[in-house]
Amino acid sequence: MGHRIAWGRVKLRTIPLADFTGNGSPGKRNPFGMEIDLNTVRGILQRHGWNATAYQIVNPGISHWFSKHGDAVIGYVSFGSTRIVAGGPVCSRDRLPRVVREWEQEVVTAGKRVCYFGASGRLQAFLQASPEHATVVVGAQPVWNPQHWSERTYRYASLRGQFHRADNKGVRVSEWPVETAEDHPALRACLLAWLQTRGLPPLHFLVEPETLRRLQGRRVFVAEQGDRVVAFLTLSPVPARNGWLTEQFPRLTTAPNGTVELLMDTAARTVAIENASYLTMGLVPLSPHGSVGHPPNPQWVDLVLRSIRNWGRRFYNFDGLDAFKSKFQPEYWEPIYAISRERRFSPRSLYAIAGAFTTEAPICAVGRSLLSLRKRLQ
């Protein structure tokens, strides 16, 4: 199994998953004018949060819809006449068909369109035979059972070397209490510095970077070199699968090589101690792992997605992200879908998904990215 990092150098704090209900901020309103408490959303998430991105619906900018029985919640954003759902309904498995019908009937009655982005197993299995829905694969996410993490990762000398490089450079990783981490100036400075290195303007929706003010229910692992924060990692709970999603890896450009790997290793071993059985690093957009064993996308969709992947390399390293997550030796890759309520998946739905992330006309976001790239190259 190879050499392990000395446990005494990494501070581990074990907390039962059930404790991560958090405290919400009252006063948020849903689109129907009713005042809601984010604790209500978190309560449903704690009971039924199965989709890996379920907890993202507490992020800023997400609207909420509740079932008539109050036992289900859907997080979504609107772009044009389309409501784009974050993942899928958060509800019990047996209630999923009725919740989907209730939600879609209400949206269609309002003259709007429905699209689910980031959907996975349950919702896709329910809607795959529906003649009123069209499904495309948009990528895949790597998955581990944390109980097998050390056995899988420590057998590879290259990974062990990465862990040791950061450790030898004096990087120490510890979990910070949410009360300490929330909007901490050192973490915010690290986040802002990291965002400035991104080729694209900050995206939102399921990749919202502004989570430091909404850490309730999340966990934060911080890498420090001396008295300086050089990187941090946030985890979001996936309670119905007894697991966690890694959300962000903000780091300084001066962070020693292996810092992010050491953060990931520490977080994975910590949740393994707590008997977690599911861990994912989240979606790799346009990953070829998602198409394995699944019907092909419509030809035009594959053409557009390949074009985005090839052209977008100047802004976003899709191949590098895939390679980075792959090197941790996932046990399997979970395909991630976009599902629209229409007989054939349309360019309109794809454009609405892009708008959900950019919060503006996607063409405007591309234009601003090109201007930013030009300035950096001057």
Side-chain angles (χ1 to χ4, degrees):
M1 192 177 296
H3 299 290
R4 296 175 181 267
I5 297 171
W7 282 84
R9 295 184 176 183
V10 181
K11 304 173 187 176
L12 301 179
R13 186 167 64 97
T14 62
I15 306 173
L17 184 64
D19 289 352
F20 284 87
T21 54
N23 296 309
S25 301
K28 182 178 176 65
R29 292 180 178 273
N30 70 12
F32 305 104
M34 297 183 297
E35 190 171 277
I36 64 170
D37 188 331
L38 283 180
N39 276 334
T40 303
V41 178
R42 289 192 178 94
I44 298 174
L45 285 168
Q46 188 61 35
R47 293 190 296 274
H48 305 302
W50 184 90
N51 206 69
T53 57
Y55 207 81
Q56 314 308 96
I57 71 171
V58 303
N59 287 348
I62 303 288
S63 300
H64 301 100
W65 172 91
F66 294 90
S67 63
K68 292 178 181 177
H69 293 292
D71 62 338
V73 62
I74 287 175
Y76 70 95
V77 298
S78 294
F79 186 82
S81 61
T82 304
R83 290 180 179 170
I84 304 98
V85 175
V90 182
C91 62
S92 63
R93 188 166 196 161
D94 62 311
R95 282 274 289 144
L96 181 63
R98 291 187 179 183
V99 170
V100 168
R101 285 193 289 269
E102 182 185 337
W103 154 255
E104 292 193 354
Q105 182 179 10
E106 191 168 325
V107 174
V108 172
T109 300
K112 305 295 184 181
R113 303 172 69 252
V114 177
C115 185
Y116 305 88
F117 182 84
S120 54
R122 284 184 179 179
L123 185 64
Q124 187 269 342
F126 169 58
L127 294 178
Q128 64 180 349
S130 168
E132 296 180 344
H133 294 83
T135 301
V136 297
V137 178
V138 294
Q141 60 188 18
V143 178
W144 298 260
N145 181 335
Q147 305 305 314
H148 308 153
W149 174 269
S150 292
E151 179 183 355
R152 294 184 69 85
T153 58
Y154 277 86
R155 72 175 67 165
Y156 293 94
S158 59
L159 269 177
R160 295 198 308 271
Q162 290 290 83
F163 301 152
H164 286 301
R165 284 187 188 96
D167 184 60
N168 292 337
K169 291 289 186 178
V171 175
R172 300 293 178 262
V173 175
S174 62
E175 182 176 7
W176 283 17
V178 167
E179 298 78 15
T180 301
E182 197 154 53
D183 216 20
H184 192 284
L187 299 186
R188 180 156 297 282
C190 181
L191 174 63
L192 293 177
W194 176 68
L195 289 174
Q196 289 174 0
T197 67
R198 305 294 90 190
L200 288 170
L203 300 178
H204 303 279
F205 192 36
L206 294 180
V207 290
E208 173 61 52
E210 184 47 72
T211 59
L212 286 177
R213 291 193 179 99
R214 293 197 180 180
L215 291 179
Q216 302 96 327
R218 291 177 160 107
R219 304 176 73 165
V220 182
F221 291 82
V222 181
E224 298 173 89
Q225 189 178 35
D227 58 357
R228 186 172 64 114
V229 170
V230 294
F232 68 92
L233 160 67
T234 57
L235 295 181
S236 286
V238 190
R241 297 168 91 168
N242 186 34
W244 300 89
L245 161 73
T246 64
E247 284 189 87
Q248 299 176 333
F249 293 94
R251 63 272 187 192
L252 301 181
T253 57
T254 56
N257 190 19
T259 297
V260 173
E261 288 83 352
L262 185 58
L263 273 168
M264 187 67 200
D265 182 56
T266 304
R269 290 188 293 125
T270 299
V271 299
I273 293 172
E274 301 161 0
N275 295 317
S277 55
Y278 178 86
L279 178 68
T280 179
M281 295 177 77
L283 173 66
V284 177
L286 315 182
S287 171
H289 295 286
S291 59
V292 176
H294 292 271
N297 288 336
Q299 192 172 28
W300 75 265
V301 173
D302 273 343
L303 178 62
V304 170
L305 294 182
R306 281 199 303 270
S307 299
I308 292 173
R309 187 182 181 98
N310 293 332
W311 185 83
R313 284 192 177 105
R314 68 194 70 191
F315 304 113
Y316 191 90
N317 189 355
F318 294 102
D319 295 331
L321 182 64
D322 197 302
F324 172 75
K325 295 185 179 183
S326 294
K327 75 179 180 180
F328 290 99
Q329 307 304 314
E331 297 189 35
Y332 63 93
W333 288 79
E334 186 175 19
I336 301 298
Y337 306 93
I339 305 173
S340 59
R341 192 180 188 275
E342 53 191 347
R343 295 187 66 84
R344 292 182 177 84
F345 201 87
S346 66
R348 186 178 180 183
S349 293
L350 197 60
Y351 191 77
I353 290 170
F357 284 92
T358 60
T359 68
E360 63 179 341
I363 190 66
C364 294
V366 170
R368 291 196 296 112
S369 299
L370 288 172
L371 287 174
S372 176
L373 177 63
R374 181 180 178 183
K375 290 179 180 178
R376 290 202 308 272
L377 294 177
Q378 287 177 345

